[in-house]
Amino acid sequence: MTRHARNCTAGAVYTYHEKKKDAEASGYGTQSQRLGKEAVKDFDCCSLTLQPCKDPVVTKDGYLFDKMAILEYIISKKREISKKMKEYEKQMTKEKSELAELAAAEKESQLKNFVKTEKNIVSTPVRAFKSDSTLGGPSVSNMTEGRDKHLPSFWIPSKTPEAKKTAVKKPESNVLCPMTGKPLKMKDLIDVKFTEVKDPDDKKSLILKKNRYMCPVTHDILGNSVPCAVLRTTGDVVTVNCIEKIIKKDWTHPLTGDKLTEKDIIYLERGGTGYSTTNNGLEAKHERPVLQA
């Protein structure tokens, strides 16, 4: 590929880097930027508040939440579902009443037609030899035979066509997880117990510490770059390395000695490591208007 000099504008090739540079300088065109480690949440932060959890709980899928935050979310969603359900039931009741009124009106019209035909002994004679012009024929005008009362009109308010009301769909009865979209219940949340790093020389508060928690078995420092898992029976957070090398040998809890199964291990979803091989979606886009010729 032909390379351009710093101030060369006469070349036939417009490189990708020149295009990106011009787009950034002009203020037009969508820009993509790779997110770093500081742009993603830590492993011990709530998936809703993005703040370190004070009372952490975890779902079956491994997403961490603060207990107060997820409780408020579940309560607000239940209120929203009950409100939508009332609107749906109101709509269904209205539709049933309208159908009943239509059925009653149709039955009444059939009865009137039957009575009317029974009263008429002599029917009207058929005029087979007279043309439509003699009978007066149907009129071409839209304003005759009472059709002017049914035609819509955009300049008369009483005759303007009305927009149909949107039908209310039946809402989902279950509260869905904000991360996975699966049904979420309070009884499915499992309390999580982190083991703090005890360093007598570090006088900082727990939130300000860079190394806050460790594995209670191997004493490895926990972080986004260290895969972790929660033991369902006690809620202890251990490293995946500890599970593979220690727990899976005899399937016993290393702290209590209780028997464990594969279902008792919940792998935590990490916030991000900053490396594309470990996490997906580490690219952000800043959409701006495109300059077209």
Side-chain angles (χ1 to χ4, degrees):
M1 181 180 289
T2 306
R3 290 194 176 186
H4 286 192
R6 181 176 296 177
N7 296 321
C8 178
T9 57
V13 180
Y14 190 40
T15 64
Y16 173 77
H17 297 286
E18 288 176 340
K19 185 178 178 181
K20 294 286 286 184
K21 184 179 178 181
D22 292 344
E24 185 177 357
S26 64
Y28 289 93
T30 302
Q31 284 186 328
S32 299
Q33 185 178 0
R34 189 175 179 278
L35 299 177
K37 186 179 179 181
E38 67 279 355
V40 291
K41 75 177 187 69
D42 290 333
F43 75 101
D44 60 337
C45 291
C46 174
S47 298
L48 285 175
T49 62
L50 305 180
Q51 299 296 323
C53 295
K54 296 181 180 178
D55 191 4
V57 291
V58 69
T59 62
K60 294 179 179 179
D61 298 312
Y63 287 96
L64 199 70
F65 295 99
D66 199 330
K67 200 168 190 177
M68 287 299 297
I70 196 64
L71 270 176
E72 290 179 2
Y73 172 81
I74 292 174
I75 292 171
S76 64
K77 284 297 179 182
K78 283 187 176 180
R79 288 176 181 171
E80 185 179 344
I81 290 171
S82 64
K83 184 179 179 181
K84 289 183 178 179
M85 186 62 73
K86 287 179 181 178
E87 293 178 359
Y88 176 76
E89 291 175 354
K90 185 179 179 181
Q91 176 184 302
M92 295 299 295
T93 305
K94 187 177 180 181
E95 288 180 357
K96 286 182 180 179
S97 62
E98 288 177 355
L99 289 175
E101 289 177 0
L102 287 174
E106 186 179 358
K107 189 175 181 181
E108 187 177 354
S109 65
Q110 290 177 356
L111 181 61
K112 285 182 179 179
N113 291 334
F114 176 76
V115 173
K116 186 178 180 180
T117 53
E118 287 294 321
K119 286 182 178 179
N120 294 334
I121 299 174
V122 181
S123 60
T124 56
V126 179
R127 301 179 182 181
F129 300 100
K130 292 187 178 181
S131 60
D132 292 339
S133 60
T134 310
L135 294 173
S139 176
V140 182
S141 175
N142 289 332
M143 305 303 289
T144 58
E145 299 178 3
R147 279 181 283 183
D148 58 329
K149 297 180 180 179
H150 302 286
L151 291 173
S153 176
F154 290 96
W155 52 86
I156 302 176
S158 60
K159 294 184 179 180
T160 52
E162 296 179 357
K164 294 182 180 179
K165 294 183 179 179
T166 55
V168 179
K169 296 182 180 180
K170 187 176 182 181
E172 179 72 30
S173 58
N174 296 323
V175 178
L176 302 181
C177 177
M179 303 303 295
T180 61
K182 298 178 182 179
L184 178 65
K185 295 181 181 179
M186 192 59 201
K187 64 179 182 180
D188 296 333
L189 298 176
I190 301 164
D191 293 330
V192 177
K193 184 170 63 176
F194 286 107
T195 304
E196 297 182 12
V197 176
K198 296 180 180 180
D199 187 1
D201 298 331
D202 195 353
K203 303 297 182 181
K204 296 180 182 178
S205 62
L206 184 63
I207 297 178
L208 296 177
K209 288 181 180 180
K210 187 177 180 180
N211 300 326
R212 293 192 286 265
Y213 303 112
M214 66 178 182
C215 176
V217 181
T218 61
H219 290 190
D220 292 333
I221 302 299
L222 304 182
N224 280 6
S225 59
V226 181
C228 305
V230 179
L231 302 179
R232 186 193 295 268
T233 55
T234 59
D236 290 301
V237 181
V238 296
T239 60
V240 175
N241 194 21
C242 171
I243 292 173
E244 296 294 335
K245 294 183 177 180
I246 300 176
I247 296 178
K248 285 190 176 181
K249 284 185 176 181
D250 51 3
W251 289 102
T252 56
H253 198 295
L255 300 177
T256 62
D258 299 333
K259 288 293 182 181
L260 298 174
T261 61
E262 191 71 34
K263 294 181 179 179
D264 293 330
I265 299 173
I266 301 172
Y267 294 94
L268 276 179
E269 292 291 335
R270 292 178 284 174
T273 60
Y275 295 99
S276 58
T277 56
T278 307
N279 303 104
N280 298 324
L282 289 176
E283 188 178 58
K285 289 187 177 181
H286 177 51
E287 296 180 356
R288 301 184 300 179
V290 180
L291 188 63
Q292 296 181 351

